[in-house]
Structures are given as structure tokens and as C-alpha cells.
Amino acid sequence: MTGKPKKAAEINQMAHPLDDLLRTDRIPHIWCPGCGIGTAFSACLNAIKASCEDLDKVAMVSGIGCSGRGAGYIKLDSFHTTHGRAIPFATGLKLGNPELNVIVFSGDGDLFAIGGNHFIHAARRNMDITVICVNNLNYGMTGGQAAATTPYNAKTTTTPVGNPESPFNLPLMAYASGATYVARWTILHARDLTLSIQEAINKKGFSFIEVLSPCPINYGRRNKEKSLDTLKAYQDKSIIKNNAHPADLETDFSKSIVLGKFVDTDRLTCIESYDKTCRLG
Amino acid sequence: MKPSVLTGEHYMTGDEACAEGALAAGCKFFGGYPITPATEIAERMAARLPGVGGTFIQMEDEIAAIASILGASWAGVKSMTATSGPGFSLMMENIGLGIVTETPCVIANVQRGGPSTGLPTMGAQADMMQARWGSHGHYEIIALAPASVQEAFYQTITAFNLSEKYRVPVLIMADEIVGHMSEKVRIPEAKEIELISRLTPSGRKDRHKPYAAGPNGVAPMGAAGQGYHMHITGLTHDEKGYPAMSVDAHAEMMDRLMNKIRNNLDDIIITEEYLLDDADIAIVSYGVSARTSLAAVDEARRMGIKAGLLKLVTVWPFPEEKIRQLAEKVKGFVTVEINLGQIHLEVQRCAGGKAPAYLVGHPGGTIISPDRVIAMLQEAF
Amino acid sequence: MAFWRIPLDAEQIDVTRGIVYIIEDRCKGCGYCIEYCPKQVLAFSKKFNKKGYHLPEAVKPDDCVNCHYCENICPEFAIYSAEASPSAEAVSG
């Protein structure tokens, strides 16, 4: 997962194994202490390293928000676009050069509120991209407002007495829209997550991975949850249930959180189908 | 493979000619969304692009359409979208992304009556100020306005060339009337068409700086997948493309974004003149209203009024210097446009009180009759 | 994490040994590596880095089995482990 084991003597003491993929001149990154985005990002980089032979052909696209800063830290072609529009930008990038391995790394607010329409359509047309959604249950960058993923009754700055709305079940939405690979992990499951991202990158078609991640400063603080409490909840309440039906995956933190790979099917990708249908004659 | 350039004489609409111009310019990606009266551009591209090795995709909305063409442009492909008022409004934020990331692409706005849903099937020229200022922040942009079907063909090629040369989104501000009218179009041989493509970087890939500008203020542009490992962001950024949250970095970036256009006005601004040399009255117009104005100039001359026409092919950047020069010698200006005074205000500003400026405008839905221009000439002068 | 039984061949298995390296200036002191190290190799030290965050240190460096979990869970790219040659002294960086 982290490449060949190195002998201590071969290692530059201050070189992290992922430094070759990081814009180290921009590290430390902007994410808060205890924020899980860095862990999800690290899993993503490990997966890219393990599954992409030609790193020149990898491109990362992000939207706006905390997770949207991901693209700024990877030392590969990377695009930090507008709020919610990472997926259509990635769609154009992929269609412009189908050789590219396009990975969208963004957050729940970006991908599922302002960008929700693009998500379902990219899944429907089976765009051959990998979408990694770091779900921290709120809008972190702007100070912790309610998102389309905020649990019922949770407190945020825009739901000061509790969220009256209910959140999306993201894997169900991906599945219903036609994604050919759907998984959910938490940052605590860093190894499973990395392997899953690897699979998703290698998979043809629209792949989606939800990564549950703590936001201790903006979400945790208002819901009396320190970052280690969140990780503890991931540990205690998560059940790994591969192939569980996506309809049974609501994230009810008072009960249990189902993790695993839920969808892994094959159908023609957008590009394959376009070539087959439109390029005849 | 089918030919990208349909050499020969054709009878087609302005929308179709716009699509053919794009193909002749080497456009290989179109991300579209249906909207009257621009739909026919998307339809033509959907039919033609796969045959010339390009890709057409109908996106889920206009925001996705423009985001997709920005993405395709960074894949190294000449790309385009087309829309009308409501869709143009939706595209504004990502036009800003195109400006700040210096992404070549072409956006056609076949204007209809507004505000809002307005008059979908009827023409107007009321998005001209939106074209200039619609996205937030201060910027320079290039906008062209075709007055005929033949011009729709050629101006689309010009739009791609300017866009590639200056790394800026270029707007084709057509109107429903030109978009839907059918006229004869002569498409030349491919070798007669001058095409410009973006400068590509040279030198060591690991030292590439995506925004290190050359002498004309424009940086060579790499494409994703070529090993440049670029970071491209809508945040204010430095030469390396890295976010740079400082007053100085912002000023430096803004200077370059503005100056790459402002320092090349002679190359960018295209105007046409008709009987302007000895004119007492300068009629300023563009797009379909330039045809109204042309007829009005002829009629005025028959009546003994020395009117001439300044037709704006490039509306933005505005030919300020030309208006200033004219203001020294004419008795006044009349701007003809299908809105209630947009380019008119620019003419007035540049005339600087040296010559009065009048408007022959219309709220939208129809072309302006030359009679109204004549009436204004008689009334005002 | 204690095993409920000791495997029968435990004595014949060569357990990998690792060395933990900490890039101090990247650490933000979240404590994830400390909490989730399966061998409890790490603990908060009294040291601060230049941004004022409390750093982890390897208090039981000999126990590191080079599982890389600290490296994987760290959100800061601030800690990693490398395989130690069987005789090498485990140290913290």
C-alpha cells in the first residue's frame, strides 16, 4: 500500500513517503488540527501511487471548500475550480483527453448541495471519473453551517437549535443515479479506504467513495464531539457490510454506520457509448 | 473522417454558420445545453463533431456546459459552448474562472429579449453590458458581434484565434435575428483560413510556471497529461499558479490580466467604417443593428445628411480611442442598438462632452427600422 | 490490541520491526497516531513545535512493528515508519 518497504538507511529522515506526490512547499496544509481531510487525502495519494503507472496522466479536480483545497496539494496536474462545478469541469477534461485518469476530490457541501445536479448526471452518463467525497457533515470553510449531509437535529451555525432537515444517503444517491462503483469508509479505516480508492481508480466508469471525516473545529465543537470522540464513534458504531443494499445505508450516528463496498458493476462508460453510438459512419 | 471545413457556397442560418466557423477554427469540444435561439448551434455541433474527431456533450445545465469547456480546454482542446440570456447569466461565474485561469474558450450568446425568460424567440442586444461586467470582479474580456450569417462564420474563427492568442474566454454576442436568418455563406478552402493556437511551453517540465508571461503578457499554456504537473486555481495566484492571498500578489495578477488585453488593443479591436471620412454624424452600431444603420446612412445621404457608420466588430474591448478621435470632428453620435442604452453610454463617455450622443434604442423583440434612425438624425441635428 | 491467544508458531515468525520518524514542523498535535498505534509505541511528549503544537514521541520505539498505521491515519504527512534491520536500534526522528 505504501510501496516497497524501505530500509531505514535508504530513507531521507525528513522525507515522508508521499512527499514525491505533495507540493511540499505548501505543507503544512490549511486543514485544522484533527480534521480528517488530510487522512482522506493521504489515502488518495497512496492509492494513486499504487494504481497509476503513468502519474503524468493523472489529474485531480476539486471544487470549493476545505476538501476543495485538495487539488492544491497534489504535485500532479490539478484544478481548483468553482463551487460545485468540479464534476462538470472534470467531465470536460476527461472528454478532451480520454487518456487522463481524472479524480475529483471534494467535500459534501460542494458535491451534494450546490453541485448535486452535476453528480447525479455524471453518474447517469457513467463518466469515467473517480469521485471522492470527504463528508464532514457541514460547511467547514465558512464556519460550520448546515449541509445536505448534516444529521437530523445536529447543531450548526445555521441550525442553532438543531437541524430540522434530514441528510442525503450519499451511496444510495450514487447507486440510484447509475454509478458503477460505490463505497463508504471513514478516515479511521485508512487501509480499506486506500484499497477502495485504488479499486475505484482502476475501475472503468463512474466511481464514488464517501469518506466520513471529523470536523472537530466547526461541527464537532457545536455537537460536543472532540475529534477523538468522532473517531471512537467510527470505531464503535461502524459495521463493515460489503454489498449491503444502498437503501440501508443511512448515517444514523445514534445507531450504526454501515461501511464497505456496495456497488461494483459494469456498463458502457460515457465515452465508450459515445464512440459506439455517435461515431458510426 | 469528414472535413472540418465545408468549402463551398451554402445557404444556412447564422447559428449554423457559427457552428461551421467553430469547426473550421479547429474546435473539437462542445459542451451545450438547449436554449432558444441558440439551440441550433448545439444541434449542428452534435451532428458534426463526432465526424471530425471531436466530442459533443449535452450537459445538465449551462453552468455544467461552461465548466466542461474549461475542462476540455485544459485537456488541450479548442472548446466552445453556446447559449442565450438566461443561460448566459448562469455561465457568469465560470466565465470569471476562465478569465482568471486564462483558459481559451469561446461562448456564443445568441441574444433574445430579457430580463428573465423575456422573449425567447425574439431578438435583442441587451446583454452587452452583462458581457462586459457580468462576472464578479474587475476584468477585461473580448466580445464580437456578427451582423450577418457570413460574419457569424468568420467571427467565430476570429473568436477562437483571439481566445487562443490571449488566453481569454471570447464572447460572440450574436442576436436572434442573425442567429435565425438564412443567408448565403461562402466557406473558403481550409488553407485560406488563418488559425492561431495557444503557445505551448518549452523548457524543463519540472520548472514550468503556468503564469510566467511572455512579452505580450500571455503565458504559454500546457495541457493536463503532458507532465507539467500544474496547479490551476480560481484563487488569486502567483506565477507558479499557487494561491497567493496578498494585496501585492493580487495587484500583480490583475495588472497582467488587464494589460494583456489593454496593451494589445490594436490587434484585438476590429471596426468597419462606411462613409465616415466626411461624415458630420457618426452612427455607431453592431450586430444586426449595424444593418439597420447601413440602410439609414444610405437614406440619409440621399436626403443630404452627411451620416457615416462606425460598425463595431469587436464591441469589447470598446474602441475608445476611435470614438475620441471622431468626437473631435463630428457634430454628434447616434448609437443604434436593441436595448435601452448600453453601448450608447460608452459612446457618450468616450465623446467626453465634445459631441452629443443620442440613442436609437428598442426594448427588444424586433429589429430597429432605419426610419427611426432617420427621424433621430432630423430631430437632433 | 491484545491477541486473545498466542499463535502456535509465534516464536518462529520474524516480526517486522520499524522505526518511527516524526516531521515535527508538520504536526498539529491531533493525537491520532498516539491513540491508534496498535502497539502503543507513541505518547505525547513535552515538546512543542514552532507553531506550538504538542508533538508525539516514540516512548516504546522497540515495539514498533512497521505497520504504517500512524503514517496512514496522520492527516498532516507528519509521521511515517520505515523497516528497521533486525538489529538496528529503533529511534525517533
Side-chain angles (χ1 to χ4, degrees):
Chain A
M1 205 150 57
T2 45
K4 281 180 215 149
K6 287 181 183 168
K7 295 272 183 271
E10 295 167 15
I11 287 186
N12 167 356
Q13 214 166 297
M14 286 301 119
H16 189 277
L18 288 172
D19 276 3
D20 53 344
L21 274 183
L22 280 173
R23 296 191 189 272
T24 48
D25 47 350
R26 303 201 63 226
I27 301 289
H29 49 60
I30 61 159
W31 298 316
C32 304
C35 166
I37 299 170
T39 306
F41 192 62
S42 173
C44 186
L45 295 187
N46 275 317
I48 288 171
K49 229 175 175 176
S51 54
C52 300
E53 269 180 33
D54 186 356
L55 290 172
D56 286 354
K57 299 285 182 228
V58 178
M60 182 178 278
V61 184
S62 293
I64 295 296
C66 292
S67 304
R69 287 304 190 95
Y73 298 117
I74 188 171
K75 205 162 69 189
L76 297 175
D77 289 324
S78 52
F79 300 91
H80 180 218
T81 63
T82 45
H83 196 18
R85 319 304 169 196
I87 288 178
F89 187 100
T91 296
L93 197 62
K94 178 73 183 176
L95 291 173
N97 181 359
E99 276 187 10
L100 295 174
N101 208 328
V102 181
I103 299 162
V104 171
F105 187 93
S106 218
D108 50 308
D110 186 74
L111 289 167
F112 288 98
I114 187 167
N117 195 32
H118 308 309
F119 181 90
I120 60 174
H121 284 276
R124 172 184 63 79
R125 53 173 77 100
N126 203 21
M127 267 317 300
D128 188 7
I129 58 176
T130 300
V131 177
I132 298 161
C133 172
V134 181
N135 181 2
N136 61 8
L137 312 179
N138 79 131
Y139 287 86
M141 183 68 93
T142 43
Q145 294 75 35
T149 45
T150 304
Y152 176 71
N153 237 351
K155 289 200 170 82
T156 70
T157 61
T158 48
T159 56
V161 293
N163 182 18
E165 301 178 11
S166 295
F168 273 136
N169 169 347
L170 302 182
L172 175 61
M173 189 195 273
Y175 164 73
S177 308
T180 51
Y181 184 98
V182 180
R184 175 200 279 155
W185 297 102
T186 80
I187 62 147
L188 191 67
H189 300 77
R191 288 175 198 281
D192 301 284
L193 172 62
T194 305
L195 289 171
S196 186
I197 299 174
Q198 247 171 270
E199 267 188 5
I201 289 173
N202 288 328
K203 176 97 190 164
K204 270 198 307 179
F206 188 86
S207 306
F208 170 63
I209 297 169
E210 175 186 7
V211 190
L212 290 164
S213 165
C215 173
I217 305 297
N218 280 321
Y219 182 82
R221 186 160 48 102
R222 296 190 178 90
N223 291 283
K224 302 194 167 47
E225 209 177 284
K226 294 213 158 75
S227 55
L228 279 170
D229 300 338
T230 312
L231 260 57
K232 189 87 177 40
Y234 292 164
Q235 192 177 355
D236 294 346
K237 293 192 174 155
S238 63
I239 302 166
I240 298 176
K241 220 161 131 188
N242 288 320
N243 302 315
H245 193 277
D248 303 330
L249 299 175
E250 281 184 45
T251 40
D252 184 347
F253 289 84
S254 62
K255 293 177 193 152
S256 66
I257 316 155
V258 179
L259 308 177
K261 178 172 79 178
F262 312 121
V263 178
D264 190 351
T265 57
D266 287 297
R267 65 188 179 98
L268 285 183
T269 66
C270 180
I271 292 175
E272 287 170 342
S273 188
Y274 186 76
D275 287 347
K276 196 173 155 208
T277 314
C278 306
R279 292 199 202 277
L280 291 174
Chain B
M1 222 45 126
K2 290 183 177 151
S4 299
V5 183
L6 291 187
T7 306
E9 285 191 353
H10 305 266
Y11 187 65
M12 59 172 70
T13 65
D15 279 355
E16 289 164 339
C18 176
E20 288 303 330
L23 294 163
C27 174
K28 289 283 189 282
F29 181 84
F30 188 100
Y33 188 81
I35 187 166
T36 305
T39 305
E40 292 87 341
I41 301 177
E43 287 173 342
R44 185 85 171 193
M45 293 302 257
R48 288 271 282 133
L49 269 173
V52 302
T55 302
F56 169 88
I57 186 166
Q58 183 170 319
M59 296 301 283
E60 51 274 14
D61 56 32
E62 287 92 344
I63 302 174
I66 181 143
S68 76
I69 71 167
L70 296 177
S73 187
W74 278 102
V77 174
K78 289 186 182 177
S79 61
M80 180 187 186
T81 187
T83 189
S84 187
F88 197 53
S89 295
L90 287 177
M91 289 183 182
M92 281 303 149
E93 186 193 12
N94 282 280
I95 288 176
L97 181 67
I99 290 164
V100 86
T101 56
E102 302 182 61
T103 307
C105 60
V106 171
I107 300 127
N109 175 2
V110 187
Q111 295 170 87
R112 66 193 221 187
S116 192
T117 314
L119 298 168
T121 60
M122 298 154 90
Q125 297 177 300
D127 306 345
M128 300 311 295
M129 279 296 175
Q130 186 187 23
R132 179 66 188 87
W133 297 113
S135 196
H136 56 280
H138 206 104
Y139 55 87
E140 287 286 348
I141 194 138
I142 299 175
L144 310 171
S148 69
V149 177
Q150 181 73 63
E151 283 184 20
F153 175 81
Y154 274 118
Q155 283 190 22
T156 305
I157 296 172
T158 306
F160 272 97
N161 285 348
L162 289 170
S163 158
E164 293 282 320
K165 188 169 181 182
Y166 294 103
R167 285 189 60 182
V168 66
V170 173
L171 312 173
I172 299 169
M173 298 301 290
D175 51 69
E176 185 274 336
I177 300 133
V178 168
H180 278 169
M181 74 166 64
S182 293
E183 288 182 322
K184 188 169 86 175
V185 177
R186 193 188 75 82
I187 297 182
E189 302 231 357
K191 62 177 189 305
E192 290 171 39
I193 300 172
E194 190 208 347
L195 295 184
I196 297 174
S197 292
R198 63 195 74 171
L199 283 179
T200 50
S202 51
R204 277 180 56 171
K205 290 190 174 179
D206 57 338
R207 289 189 188 162
H208 174 62
K209 289 181 180 166
Y211 296 105
N216 67 346
V218 184
M221 181 174 171
Q226 294 177 334
Y228 291 106
H229 299 177
M230 305 171 280
H231 180 57
I232 305 303
T233 176
L235 287 167
T236 292
H237 45 262
D238 59 19
E239 274 192 340
K240 281 165 95 177
Y242 284 13
M245 301 297 102
S246 77
V247 177
D248 289 345
H250 190 64
E252 195 179 317
M253 182 190 77
M254 288 296 290
D255 262 2
R256 204 171 54 69
L257 288 181
M258 301 297 287
N259 287 338
K260 72 176 180 181
I261 305 294
R262 287 182 176 177
N263 293 343
N264 293 292
L265 294 179
D266 289 347
D267 184 51
I268 297 168
I269 292 177
I270 307 163
T271 56
E272 290 172 14
E273 297 177 14
Y274 180 63
L275 302 182
L276 203 55
D277 284 344
D278 66 337
D280 291 334
I281 301 159
I283 298 177
V284 181
S285 195
Y286 55 93
V288 74
S289 297
R291 297 171 78 137
T292 297
S293 306
L294 197 66
V297 168
D298 282 340
E299 179 61 19
R301 290 275 171 167
R302 268 194 294 276
M303 295 165 65
I305 303 170
K306 283 167 87 178
L309 171 65
L310 177 69
K311 175 174 140 185
L312 313 180
V313 174
T314 317
V315 180
W316 305 117
F318 190 69
E320 301 184 357
E321 199 46 44
K322 185 77 204 167
I323 300 293
R324 283 194 194 105
Q325 286 164 10
L326 283 170
E328 300 288 347
K329 59 178 224 182
V330 297
K331 284 187 199 151
F333 292 93
V334 174
T335 303
V336 185
E337 54 183 346
I338 311 175
N339 60 55
L340 299 175
Q342 294 188 13
I343 297 306
H344 162 64
L345 296 176
E346 285 293 280
V347 173
Q348 200 168 44
R349 175 176 70 82
C350 296
K354 291 190 172 146
Y358 301 93
L359 168 71
V360 177
H362 191 286
T366 184
I367 56 169
I368 295 169
S369 154
D371 297 346
R372 286 196 50 219
V373 183
I374 296 293
M376 173 61 82
L377 295 179
Q378 288 173 322
E379 185 185 325
F381 300 99
Chain C
M1 233 184 282
F3 288 109
W4 65 280
R5 68 173 177 85
I6 295 175
L8 294 173
D9 57 354
E11 283 175 14
Q12 289 138 46
I13 288 174
D14 218 1
V15 177
T16 325
R17 289 189 52 218
I19 303 175
V20 181
Y21 293 97
I22 296 161
I23 306 173
E24 297 189 350
D25 287 340
R26 289 186 182 177
C27 179
K28 290 179 189 160
C30 68
Y32 289 177
C33 55
I34 298 168
E35 182 71 20
Y36 285 98
C37 172
K39 303 294 280 181
Q40 288 86 42
V41 169
L42 300 158
F44 274 115
S45 78
K46 294 210 166 70
K47 266 169 83 181
F48 294 99
N49 67 8
K50 66 181 176 195
K51 295 221 164 147
Y53 292 115
H54 249 312
L55 296 170
E57 66 178 342
V59 287
K60 291 194 284 177
D62 294 346
D63 288 1
C64 175
V65 293
N66 196 31
C67 75
H68 295 289
Y69 192 73
C70 56
E71 182 180 318
N72 293 152
I73 193 76
C74 174
E76 306 295 333
F77 309 95
I79 189 169
Y80 61 98
S81 66
E83 193 180 325
S85 56
S87 59
E89 275 296 302
V91 290
S92 104

